[in-house]
Amino acid sequence: MSVLIVIPARFASSRYPGKPLATLKGASGVSRSLIERSWRAAREVKGVDKVVIATDDDRIKEAAEAFGADVVMTSVACGNGTERCAEAHAALGGGFEIVVNLQGDAPLTPHWFVEGLVQGLRDAPQAEIATPVLRCDGATLNSLLADRKANRVGGTTAVFASDHRAMYFSKEVVPFTSKPYADTDMTPVFHHVGVYAYRPDALAAYPTWPAGPLEQLEGLEQLRFMESGRSVLCVEVEARGRAFWELNNPEDVAKIESMMAKMGIE
């Protein structure tokens, strides 16, 4: 099954304007932009036929082409990354059997997260969209809780049924846990990893569906599938000792740089 990875990137952001061009210093001291680091992460994924960056901003286009990326220009009317992926796939003429949305703010996404996600969709022919979830250790859960206490959105959590169909995604920390966890404890909370794999028909239909109240309240694009009665498959992935975090706020730069230094990511 042919696989396309699209990295949607926009310059305008209420929380962090210009985020794709923010620089992150790696373990060797070399600074690279967030969008370049996300593109490099995408290129490590095995079994992918094409990787493109989808943007509506010439500054991002120029920066991406300078480090060798293929760029698809999309409309400023795209409301989120999924809509941008749909437009990019159409602009390329379609034809891919699985389209992966690797969001441009997750440069620490390990290649096996995406490979597991694609395999999960292949193994579940009834599923139209799949997304990875990672069980939180105590350190990650405590970081999520600290962000919420400081009124920051530090990540998204997911709850799902026994058959791994998603029940809900939230920027709050769900489910509620009444006891504290040590950093090395495993917890019942799952961190939603901001990657999606779509079947092309579901992706093409997505922009035609109205954004429901939950999507508007949470600001989470995947809720539109659920509010439209579509099933979202949660694929559990393993960290394998790899730290994972998304760049949601300017304060996350230092955190991600520290993680890259510890993991030796240049």
Side-chain angles (χ1 to χ4, degrees), residues 27-243:
S28 65
V30 174
S31 292
R32 293 189 175 95
S33 66
L34 174 63
I35 190 63
E36 181 176 357
R37 292 195 176 278
S38 299
W39 175 76
R40 285 172 174 264
R43 285 171 57 84
E44 292 182 5
V45 180
K46 299 178 180 66
V48 172
D49 297 276
K50 190 174 183 64
V51 176
V52 300
I53 292 171
T55 187
D56 58 11
D57 191 277
D58 287 334
R59 290 163 290 189
I60 295 173
K61 177 179 184 291
E62 291 171 6
E65 289 179 340
F67 58 72
D70 291 331
V71 178
V72 177
M73 294 302 291
T74 50
S75 168
V76 295
C78 293
N80 57 42
T82 299
E83 292 186 7
R84 201 170 300 283
C85 286
E87 193 170 304
H89 185 234
L92 290 169
F96 290 91
E97 295 167 284
I98 293 178
V99 181
V100 175
N101 173 354
L102 180 61
Q103 300 195 57
D105 58 6
L108 299 182
T109 305
H111 63 87
W112 62 86
F113 280 21
V114 184
E115 291 159 5
L117 180 63
V118 169
Q119 189 61 50
L121 197 58
R122 285 173 171 158
D123 292 343
Q126 76 284 1
E128 295 178 293
I129 171 178
T131 193
V133 292
L134 179 66
R135 186 183 291 274
C136 292
D137 59 17
T140 303
L141 174 57
N142 294 332
S143 186
L144 290 169
L145 291 169
D147 274 337
R148 294 308 298 128
K149 187 174 182 179
N151 201 32
R152 294 191 300 267
V153 175
T156 298
T157 55
V159 290
F160 49 89
S162 59
D163 62 358
H164 286 260
R165 283 184 300 112
M167 298 173 69
Y168 196 57
F169 298 90
S170 182
K171 289 179 179 176
E172 291 291 349
V173 181
V174 292
F176 168 75
T177 57
S178 59
K179 72 171 190 176
Y181 290 89
D183 283 354
T184 56
D185 289 344
M186 296 312 294
T187 78
V189 176
F190 282 84
H191 187 182
H192 173 240
V193 181
V195 186
Y196 305 94
Y198 320 96
R199 299 201 190 278
D201 289 348
L203 179 61
Y206 179 91
T208 70
W209 303 330
L214 295 176
E215 179 188 352
Q216 295 178 60
L217 286 168
E218 293 271 11
L220 296 174
E221 63 204 270
Q222 67 269 35
L223 291 174
R224 191 182 306 182
F225 285 96
M226 298 176 68
E227 291 187 271
S228 300
R230 303 301 179 104
S231 178
V232 177
L233 177 70
C234 290
V235 178
E236 187 173 351
V237 294
E238 296 181 355
R240 302 182 191 175
R242 177 82 172 259

Side-chain angles (χ1 to χ4, degrees), residues 3-21:
V3 178
L4 167 71
I5 293 182
V6 180
I7 306 171
R10 65 189 183 101
F11 194 88
S13 170
S14 58
R15 281 188 286 164
Y16 197 164
K19 182 169 69 171
L21 301 183

